[in-house]
Amino acid sequence: MKLTILTENNAVPPFEAEHGLSMLLEQGEYQLLFDTGAGEVFAGNCSLMKKDFSDLNGIILSHGHMDHTGGLHILSPCTVWHAPGITQHHFSHHPGKPVRTLTMPERCIQRLQQCRCREISSFTEILPGIFLTGPIPRISGEDCGGPFFSDNEGMVKDDLSDEQALLTKDGILIQGCCHAGVINTLEYCRKEHPEITVHTVIGGLHLLLASEDRLKQTADYLRGSGIRTLYLLHCTGEHAIDFLRKQLPGIKIFTPGVDGSAILL
Ligand SMILES: [Fe+2]
Ligand SMILES: [Fe+2]
């Protein structure tokens, strides 16, 4: 599989960076867009790379957060694979910061309604050798909370049940933010597809606000998991990346941004 990062928190000029994530996946005759970033940056970077979306088979939305779905409105209607509840309300209440909506923007919801939506409610093979997890159960006891709420008042905890990840038959796991936690996600993949050994994880791991205990729990799990390579993007957090680098000398850790090159997985 060839993976090109179209938008991410870091970029090499002339490419533009933003807090968001979008990746183009190419495998055989298939071309898939995984998330759309927060706005139009992914499309601008894509055209700088002399690529376009004319051969797109469809769009996979990892979850409804606006930094992953906010560019949907500029794409032509096509097939979209998403987990149930993708348009539900999301808010973040970071301590000491104003409440922020993270819900998919209205213009993107309108475009989604014009698309051929394929709701993924359980582990599904969407194309040969390409699986989507659908909602990821919290089965490992992993500490994966966050300052996320379903209401503006901060009364109802948001479990991000509209989140999914992509798994290939060759053992690659692709994430958006991984709000469900990387341990839960890998355990779910192992439970549903024990014949697949995941060796590479790419995406955001959302460890920005993780406690030292959680970072240690994550490192301890990854150390014995069979993972050989991590591409840590977007919302993983610099402290978490440093921590994992120190704790996991046996795992190759890369932090690519947008630079126009493709990652061969
Ligand atoms: Fe994100
Ligand atoms: Fe997110």
Side-chain angles (χ1 to χ4, degrees), residues 9 19-21 35 62-63 65 67-68 176-177 179 204 206 234-235:
N9 298 45
H19 180 79
L21 187 63
D35 288 345
S62 66
H63 62 308
H65 275 170
D67 53 325
H68 297 256
C177 285
H179 293 294
H206 207 84
H234 178 45
C235 57

Side-chain angles (χ1 to χ4, degrees), residues 3-261:
L3 183 150
T4 308
I5 302 170
L6 298 181
T7 190
E8 209 266 331
N9 298 45
N10 297 291
V12 176
F15 300 108
E16 203 177 324
E18 66 171 355
H19 180 79
L21 187 63
S22 173
M23 302 182 272
L24 189 66
L25 314 179
E26 294 167 280
Q27 177 162 289
E29 76 243 51
Y30 300 118
Q31 188 190 53
L32 297 165
L33 187 65
F34 187 93
D35 288 345
T36 70
E40 298 173 14
V41 172
F42 79 104
N45 285 342
C46 193
S47 62
L48 277 175
M49 293 175 201
K50 308 268 186 279
K51 287 173 174 284
D52 61 35
F53 302 115
S54 51
D55 295 327
L56 209 58
N57 293 83
I59 302 165
I60 296 157
L61 295 177
S62 66
H63 62 308
H65 275 170
M66 59 193 298
D67 53 325
H68 297 256
T69 60
L72 189 63
H73 63 291
I74 63 167
L75 293 163
S76 303
C78 63
T79 301
V80 178
W81 292 275
H82 62 80
I86 189 79
T87 60
Q88 67 199 14
H89 285 297
H90 296 292
F91 295 90
S92 75
H93 294 236
H94 283 277
K97 288 189 181 171
V99 174
R100 236 169 24 104
T101 178
L102 299 173
T103 307
M104 186 189 299
E106 188 55 41
R107 61 190 180 181
C108 300
I109 292 175
Q110 285 171 10
R111 176 50 43 96
L112 185 67
Q113 286 163 350
Q114 297 162 347
C115 291
R116 289 181 299 279
C117 290
R118 302 284 181 262
E119 197 168 86
I120 307 296
S121 50
S122 60
F123 231 109
T124 303
E125 187 172 23
I126 58 162
L127 292 167
I130 296 178
F131 303 85
L132 290 176
T133 61
I136 299 160
R138 274 54 166 174
I139 49 180
S140 73
E142 179 177 15
D143 165 19
C144 57
F148 299 114
F149 295 86
S150 302
D151 63 325
N152 202 18
E153 290 74 39
M155 303 298 285
V156 183
K157 270 282 187 191
D158 183 359
D159 64 357
L160 275 299
S161 62
D162 57 322
E163 186 183 46
Q164 59 179 353
L166 183 153
L167 175 70
T168 74
K169 70 171 179 17
D170 301 319
I172 297 154
L173 180 67
I174 301 176
Q175 312 264 9
C177 285
C178 202
H179 293 294
V182 70
I183 303 175
N184 283 324
T185 308
L186 286 166
E187 283 295 298
Y188 188 45
C189 291
R190 184 174 289 175
K191 176 171 171 283
E192 294 294 312
H193 284 278
E195 77 285 5
I196 298 176
T197 302
V198 177
H199 55 80
T200 298
V201 176
I202 180 162
L205 292 193
H206 207 84
L207 295 170
L208 276 166
L209 299 175
S211 65
E212 293 295 301
D213 280 352
R214 183 177 178 197
L215 291 176
K216 188 172 179 314
Q217 183 188 27
T218 303
D220 288 345
Y221 180 86
L222 291 173
R223 192 178 293 112
S225 66
I227 301 288
R228 300 198 297 268
T229 312
L230 294 171
Y231 293 89
L232 300 177
L233 309 176
H234 178 45
C235 57
T236 306
E238 283 182 22
H239 174 66
I241 292 169
D242 286 346
F243 186 94
L244 294 175
R245 278 211 168 105
K246 285 190 189 110
Q247 293 288 317
L248 302 170
I251 296 181
K252 284 181 278 180
I253 295 181
F254 300 103
T255 55
V258 186
D259 64 5
S261 67

